[in-house]
Amino acid sequence: MAAGQRNKHKTGRAGKNRRTGRIIGAVGALSLGICGTVPAGNADPLANISRNTYGMPGLIDMPTAEVRPDGEFAIPFTWIDGNTQRNNLTFQISPRITVAFRYSRVPDLLRKNGTPTALYDRSFDVHWAFLDEGKYLPSMAIGLRDFIGTGVYSGEYVVATKSVTPKLRATAGIGWGRLGSFGSHSGWGTRPSYDYSSNGGNLNDNAWFKGDWAPFFGLSYQLNDKWTLKAEYSSDDYVKERQLADFDRRTPFNFAANYHANDYLDLQMFYLYGEKVGFQFSLNIDPKKPTFPSGTEAAPLPVKPRPSPSADPEGWSGAWVSDPTAQPAIQQSLAAALGKEGIILEGMSLTKTTANLRVRNTIYRAEPEAVGRAARIATRALPSSVDTIVITPVSQGMALSSLTFRRSDLEQMADTNSYDMLERVKITDAKPDPKAMPTLTAYPRFLWGLSPYTAVSLFDPNEPFKMDVGAELSARYEAAPGLVLSGSLRQKVAGNIGNNPEHLTTNTPHVRSDSAFYSSHGDLTINSLQAAWYAKPGDNIYSRVTVGLLERMYGGVSGEVLWKPVDSRLALGLETDWVKQRAYDQRFDFLDYSTVTGFASAYYDFGKGYMGELDVGRYLARDWGATFTFNRTFENGWKVGAFATLTDMSSTDFGEGSFDKGIMISIPITWATGKPTLSSINATIRPLLRDGGAMVNVDGRLYDTVNTAHTGELYDGWGRFWR
Amino acid sequence: MTIPMYRKLALATLVSLTVLAGCGNDDITNASGRYFLDLGKGIAGSVKQIGQKPVARKQPDPELVASSAMKLNKGPLLLLSMENTGYIAPLGMTGETGGMRTWFTPHKLSVITRNGMLAGTRGFAYDLMSADTQATERLIRARRAGSASLILRHLDGLGRERPMILTCQTRIGKEISYPFIGKTWHGTAVAERCEANGMAIDNSFVVASDGTILLSRQWGGPQLGYITLQMIRP
């Protein structure tokens, strides 16, 4: 079926238009992409082969107008003789924009009682390749290096790169700030000088593209598919290093050789300024290349077509409906079959022609895979007169959506192109189903687990990498749909995060900065102990109330309400938490500090995996403000994002860093192992842990719980429906 | 960090990860522990193999596999052979809708055929999700030379089902007879060459006079490779 024909079947509903775009996009564009050569005139950003010392697309210290593969996430570690370190984390957030977060060590730049000590600095970069290379035009990019933060690497640039031959690329550009310090010409405006005593953390936008500028240029030559050689003329004069540290810049020329060991690993060696040798070790992860793309879960049972009416007159006539033992028997066998595939049948309503199965997915990362398997099993157990099968995914006892299938479609289209089935299914909000009979074996349910945990603390200048390891015992008792009691207990085995904790000298309440005091207690600490109640008070409205020890630092009550229609890009929520700060030993005692926090939140799905969130309200230190979060979710569940919170807490009160910000990464474990599981590795990295803009870390917030079975995620994962 | 602390931490991490990975019935808590345990086992396994000569795996005899399957299973049977991995197993039919048949191996891996044409696999990690084989099937089963298109779909790294469109030419070959499990099978050889942008693959079939595909070697995708399906019992 051609893409054009598909279009004609669509109705005009707003929700459907979004789906049209997705289906046509998914099938039409991709069929071109997979097997067609790129049509002439279709430009692409220039792909970078090896990075610079800052982990960004570039030569050695200088940038180039190249980009990394879209979606690639990497950790390049650079070490330069004298123990200068640039530990970078880079992410190609879109085909043209590269961002980086860096933790650097610059030796001897600080003085502590007269003796030189190293400066540890956090910085963020952004790089935008705005022009693609053409026949005569070079590719061009503009970038900001170290644009928030105390500015030791601050610089801006505009750069152009041209492929002279397929293997040789030439780059030339202009830099400002640190990149305009050697061979400089005066520019416009004055650039404020680097202020060691400042709290940093602010956008230093009053400095961008101001002050002296200088040219830089270089060459990269790809010897073969493993080796690349580079040479550059650097406009970075290393002013501070020459003044304060033992750095002698003998020449502006730098050289490097990069070895591309495999898709995941690059090794590089540099010779800098005629003086220093450096190395880089870079780990690249492309979320679009999982180990086992279709997963290794066992094959699903085949759809069973109905026997002919002559072979099964009772089934087709519907006479079985009058038998009161019919539904319980069918429900029991369905629950057993679904249970074997990791799906819990929470309830079912059954009439002569329609079955509505309320199912909870416990292992498949993509909800459509659970829906597809439930639909297959339904065709194997339901009597022949049932010709409409509705699958209602449920989470925490709340029905999230309803997917209505015609049984004849399932029979005729089994194991064909999954997107053909996507056109035939009706996805709607889950209406209350009073006729549903609960499956008695589904509740209560008790789960427990004993596993290791790790906690990492970074960026303390005295000890940049600290880690704790221990054991965690967790348990979960699901008393009824939507009513969950859960808790976890931790025992630290070894670690140094809690060594020598210190109180900050700020005069704001220490709502988060005393974290090290909590870490210093490790014996049988109660990480959480709470009761949660989830409900669906109305169409498209979900609610949650959680009571107890909500996280290791706070206990109290948290309440949340979320409005999210099944096919809406926008969701709105309200949350309020009344909490008291827990005692450092994390048992049942509390400290004196208590407060109420509250937020109004808006979530917006921009499409193509980009999501934004705005939370406005009152934070733990009684400061008022807003948090902006932006993340990119890939169809396979990888999520990378960043957030920043601005509140009315003054930057002097906040302290170093000026405002709370950080990045988060979530990697689904099934991406690496292929085995079906909902589990994921989640990390939130904050350059600094301070007391402004702090929120309570409550488990099980509504948006992520509800979103898994709404049209955005259902469409993204629909390729697995027949899996 | 002082050195003794490093060692203590490293030992503690190893100990806690290995001892605690996988206790309890809560999959969500245990999955990351189990992942590291599996990772550790994988690394230990490959470390053990360093310097050892790879042991040639004994290939099971297809005739034996087929005849023992015939004793256990009275329904339609196929013999599956995956060239990439050397996996040989019987396929028993578990479901049939129209011409689509779903077959399972004893290891719960599944193959889906449409009138004998490979239409899908499940459980092989780089599964063929679906295939539009109707056009090429018409030529092959009718033993006619000609041109038709074949669409194979796989999941990409992001979980999207992506089509690969191949243009195929069929050529008719000689009459073939071969012995298998005590019978002699007769059919016509049909060769199919499929191309897509510089890449070419060759599928081959032995088609009986009534159009049934008795034996075939079909390509399932770049990672899946060639799959041979041999009819044991129709």
Side-chain angles (χ1 to χ4, degrees):
Chain A
M1 233 206 306
Q5 278 177 300
R6 225 172 248 122
N7 217 350
K8 287 195 197 121
H9 295 295
K10 289 296 161 193
T11 63
R13 275 175 54 212
K16 282 247 178 194
N17 285 343
R18 177 167 175 239
R19 280 188 254 166
T20 312
R22 281 184 186 262
I23 295 177
I24 293 180
V27 183
L30 297 178
S31 50
L32 250 173
I34 245 258
C35 60
T37 49
V38 176
N42 207 22
D44 268 331
L46 211 52
N48 170 255
I49 314 288
S50 76
R51 306 158 185 279
N52 60 19
T53 58
Y54 295 91
M56 295 289 273
L59 292 165
I60 301 151
D61 268 353
M62 298 296 109
T64 55
E66 295 167 321
V67 294
R68 300 292 308 173
D70 182 32
E72 185 202 66
F73 171 69
I75 314 178
F77 294 108
T78 309
W79 178 90
I80 301 172
D81 187 18
N83 202 9
T84 297
Q85 293 173 25
R86 292 174 193 156
N87 303 307
N88 310 289
L89 209 132
T90 65
F91 181 50
Q92 188 70 35
I93 194 170
S94 77
R96 292 166 197 294
I97 300 180
T98 323
V99 293
F101 167 69
R102 179 177 311 114
Y103 191 58
S104 334
R105 179 186 191 275
V106 189
D108 299 336
L109 243 52
L110 283 182
R111 292 283 180 271
K112 220 176 187 177
N113 306 325
T115 38
T117 52
L119 171 69
Y120 285 96
D121 185 72
R122 289 154 286 260
S123 50
F124 292 92
D125 288 6
V126 65
H127 169 93
W128 175 33
F130 60 88
L131 184 68
D132 289 340
E133 184 176 41
K135 195 154 175 215
Y136 300 109
L137 280 176
S139 112
M140 291 192 68
I142 187 171
L144 304 173
R145 197 178 270 182
D146 193 358
F147 67 100
I148 307 177
T150 40
V152 69
Y153 283 128
S154 286
E156 304 82 47
Y157 55 86
V158 176
V159 62
T161 301
K162 186 91 186 83
S163 311
V164 175
T165 78
K167 290 183 189 247
L168 180 68
R169 286 185 190 168
T171 297
I174 299 175
W176 284 261
R178 196 174 159 127
L179 291 166
S181 51
F182 179 76
S184 46
H185 304 264
S186 51
W188 53 83
T190 32
R191 199 179 178 92
S193 54
Y194 175 46
D195 180 6
Y196 287 101
S197 66
S198 81
N199 286 327
N202 281 312
L203 273 176
N204 44 17
D205 55 335
N206 54 349
W208 294 346
F209 300 104
K210 292 223 183 93
D212 293 348
W213 60 269
F216 60 85
F217 46 86
L219 294 168
S220 72
Y221 184 67
Q222 198 181 356
L223 210 54
N224 54 39
D225 58 336
K226 292 266 179 219
W227 287 95
T228 306
L229 304 174
K230 297 182 286 191
E232 77 181 10
Y233 167 91
S234 161
S235 60
D236 184 342
D237 205 16
Y238 278 67
V239 175
K240 292 276 175 221
E241 284 88 341
R242 288 191 300 114
Q243 270 174 15
L244 300 165
D246 165 36
F247 195 94
D248 194 10
R249 190 184 194 272
R250 294 205 198 119
T251 139
F253 290 101
N254 298 323
F255 303 93
N258 185 78
Y259 178 66
H260 183 73
N262 56 43
D263 275 346
Y264 304 107
L265 188 61
D266 279 281
L267 299 162
Q268 205 170 170
M269 187 158 129
F270 316 99
Y271 185 56
L272 298 165
Y273 304 106
E275 230 249 326
K276 299 220 181 267
V277 170
F279 297 98
Q280 188 184 75
F281 164 90
S282 179
L283 267 166
N284 311 315
I285 303 171
D286 186 344
K288 300 201 219 91
K289 296 206 186 104
T291 345
F292 306 108
S294 67
T296 54
E297 62 269 27
L301 292 170
V303 166
K304 189 158 170 224
R306 287 171 281 182
S308 66
S310 49
D312 179 25
E314 263 232 16
W316 281 95
S317 68
W320 56 270
V321 173
S322 50
D323 179 357
T325 65
Q327 179 169 348
I330 295 169
Q331 190 157 348
Q332 197 173 12
S333 83
L334 267 174
L338 286 166
K340 285 209 196 97
E341 302 216 354
I343 301 169
I344 298 176
L345 181 67
E346 297 214 344
M348 183 171 95
S349 69
L350 187 59
T351 67
K352 178 171 149 197
T353 55
T354 308
N356 187 337
L357 283 74
R358 291 167 67 96
V359 293
R360 180 183 6 174
N361 166 21
T362 65
I363 56 174
Y364 302 102
R365 199 211 59 76
E367 192 75 30
E369 186 166 353
V371 173
R373 286 177 179 239
R376 286 171 185 267
I377 290 176
T379 64
R380 299 176 73 83
L382 292 171
S384 305
S385 62
V386 177
D387 57 31
T388 302
I389 297 177
V390 183
I391 308 287
T392 298
V394 159
S395 179
Q396 310 280 31
M398 304 178 289
L400 305 179
S401 56
S402 281
L403 291 93
T404 304
F405 298 92
R406 285 189 27 215
R407 191 169 182 175
S408 46
D409 286 342
L410 290 170
E411 292 169 342
Q412 283 157 19
M413 298 166 72
D415 299 311
T416 58
N417 185 354
S418 54
Y419 300 114
D420 288 341
M421 181 47 108
L422 185 54
E423 297 193 346
R424 314 278 300 184
V425 69
K426 277 211 283 284
I427 304 178
T428 56
D429 180 39
K431 298 272 179 275
D433 190 6
K435 290 210 218 85
M437 275 176 52
T439 307
L440 299 170
T441 48
Y443 286 94
R445 200 168 163 239
F446 179 70
L447 297 161
W448 68 277
L450 179 63
S451 68
Y453 79 88
T454 54
V456 170
S457 170
L458 302 168
F459 312 137
D460 177 353
N462 300 320
E463 188 87 71
F465 182 84
K466 293 194 258 190
M467 185 160 117
D468 281 356
V469 287
E472 180 170 336
L473 176 67
S474 59
R476 202 177 148 84
Y477 180 69
E478 293 165 0
L483 195 58
V484 184
L485 283 85
S486 62
S488 65
L489 203 63
R490 281 188 173 183
Q491 172 64 50
K492 183 162 78 170
V493 168
N496 62 348
I497 297 181
N499 291 359
N500 310 315
E502 276 169 25
H503 290 288
L504 284 187
T505 51
T506 55
N507 46 13
T508 50
H510 292 167
V511 293
R512 283 286 179 222
S513 56
D514 282 347
S515 169
F517 286 90
Y518 290 88
S519 301
S520 65
H521 290 267
D523 292 327
L524 290 179
T525 55
I526 304 174
N527 202 44
S528 66
L529 185 63
Q530 61 201 20
W533 174 49
Y534 292 85
K536 199 173 176 198
D539 283 352
N540 304 320
I541 299 181
Y542 305 86
S543 69
R544 169 187 67 80
V545 179
T546 318
V547 178
L549 302 174
L550 304 172
E551 49 140 287
R552 74 172 190 164
M553 286 193 206
Y554 290 93
V557 183
S558 168
E560 188 189 354
V561 156
L562 179 76
W563 170 82
K564 188 180 191 309
V566 161
D567 56 5
S568 168
R569 286 183 188 272
L570 176 70
L572 299 170
L574 284 171
E575 178 175 331
T576 181
D577 308 302
W578 175 83
V579 289
K580 207 160 151 86
Q581 191 167 8
R582 292 175 64 189
Y584 298 143
D585 66 359
Q586 299 153 73
R587 302 274 172 75
F588 294 99
D589 294 319
F590 289 89
L591 298 178
D592 283 332
Y593 184 75
S594 70
T595 184
V596 177
T597 70
F599 300 94
S601 307
Y603 308 81
Y604 194 78
D605 183 344
F606 292 95
K608 298 211 172 87
Y610 296 101
M611 231 271 296
E613 186 182 331
L614 175 66
D615 308 290
V616 179
R618 190 194 203 220
Y619 296 80
L620 278 169
R622 303 191 184 120
D623 46 334
W624 292 85
T627 301
F628 304 87
T629 309
F630 187 73
N631 62 53
R632 178 173 177 183
T633 307
F634 295 81
E635 286 91 331
N636 56 14
W638 266 73
K639 194 157 145 173
V640 185
F643 61 89
T645 305
L646 298 168
T647 69
D648 62 357
M649 187 185 282
S650 69
S651 53
T652 20
D653 282 340
F654 185 95
E656 195 197 341
S658 300
F659 63 93
D660 186 53
K661 52 199 164 308
I663 50 188
M664 52 263 197
I665 304 157
S666 178
I667 305 172
I669 293 208
T670 188
W671 180 88
T673 63
K675 296 206 187 101
T677 171
L678 293 176
S679 195
S680 57
I681 296 177
N682 301 307
T684 301
I685 303 177
R686 281 186 160 84
L688 282 152
L689 188 61
R690 298 257 143 180
D691 298 312
M695 287 196 213
V696 184
N697 289 339
V698 189
D699 252 349
R701 283 204 163 100
L702 289 169
Y703 187 82
D704 286 330
T705 307
V706 159
N707 200 33
T708 54
H710 280 197
T711 50
E713 297 234 352
L714 287 174
Y715 272 67
D716 282 345
W718 199 264
R720 305 191 85 95
F721 178 77
W722 287 120
R723 182 69 184 81
Chain B
M1 239 187 275
T2 58
I3 302 205
M5 178 58 100
Y6 257 127
R7 287 217 197 99
K8 187 176 175 205
L9 253 184
L11 188 62
T13 319
L14 232 88
V15 167
S16 48
L17 287 179
T18 49
V19 166
L20 298 173
C23 286
N25 64 355
D26 185 352
D27 169 67
I28 292 181
T29 312
N30 295 327
S32 35
R34 238 182 251 131
Y35 169 60
F36 288 111
L37 187 65
D38 286 345
L39 199 65
K41 280 194 197 147
I43 295 173
S46 50
V47 165
K48 261 205 294 186
Q49 281 175 10
I50 293 176
Q52 289 184 352
K53 272 207 300 233
V55 177
R57 217 185 316 154
K58 227 175 66 143
Q59 286 290 55
D61 179 9
E63 291 269 356
L64 276 177
V65 172
S67 37
S68 53
M70 285 182 80
K71 294 199 194 95
L72 293 168
N73 189 323
K74 297 299 165 200
L77 282 170
L78 289 177
L79 184 69
L80 167 74
S81 170
M82 308 231 15
E83 273 175 38
N84 273 6
T85 56
Y87 178 64
I88 294 182
L91 284 166
M93 189 178 86
T94 48
E96 181 170 26
T97 319
M100 299 270 286
R101 289 182 157 190
T102 305
W103 309 82
F104 267 69
T105 73
H107 310 100
K108 301 262 188 341
L109 300 171
S110 146
V111 169
I112 300 155
T113 59
R114 186 184 283 113
N115 296 321
M117 305 290 290
L118 180 67
T121 68
R122 295 288 185 274
F124 288 92
Y126 294 96
D127 285 327
L128 176 66
M129 293 304 292
S130 64
D132 290 354
T133 56
Q134 291 88 334
T136 53
E137 177 200 322
R138 257 186 298 237
L139 289 175
I140 289 165
R141 293 185 65 207
R143 289 155 294 151
R144 250 196 353 250
S147 173
S149 75
L150 172 68
I151 303 180
L152 300 177
R153 293 188 197 84
H154 299 83
L155 288 179
D156 69 5
L158 293 173
R160 299 176 298 195
E161 192 175 349
R162 291 167 63 130
M164 195 188 291
I165 303 173
L166 301 131
T167 317
C168 303
Q169 300 272 51
T170 50
R171 286 182 337 269
I172 312 302
K174 298 200 302 256
E175 295 291 314
I176 288 193
S177 294
Y178 62 91
F180 183 55
I181 42 161
K183 281 186 4 184
T184 312
W185 302 72
H186 306 280
T188 313
V190 179
E192 184 188 39
R193 167 158 272 235
C194 297
E195 291 183 5
N197 268 80
M199 172 196 73
I201 50 122
D202 293 292
N203 294 329
S204 34
F205 303 83
V206 175
V207 186
S209 50
D210 64 351
T212 335
I213 298 177
L214 303 173
L215 173 62
S216 64
R217 177 181 181 259
Q218 302 183 58
W219 189 73
Q223 290 90 355
L224 213 51
Y226 285 96
I227 296 178
T228 301
L229 296 170
Q230 185 164 5
M231 184 182 286
I232 300 174
R233 190 192 286 128

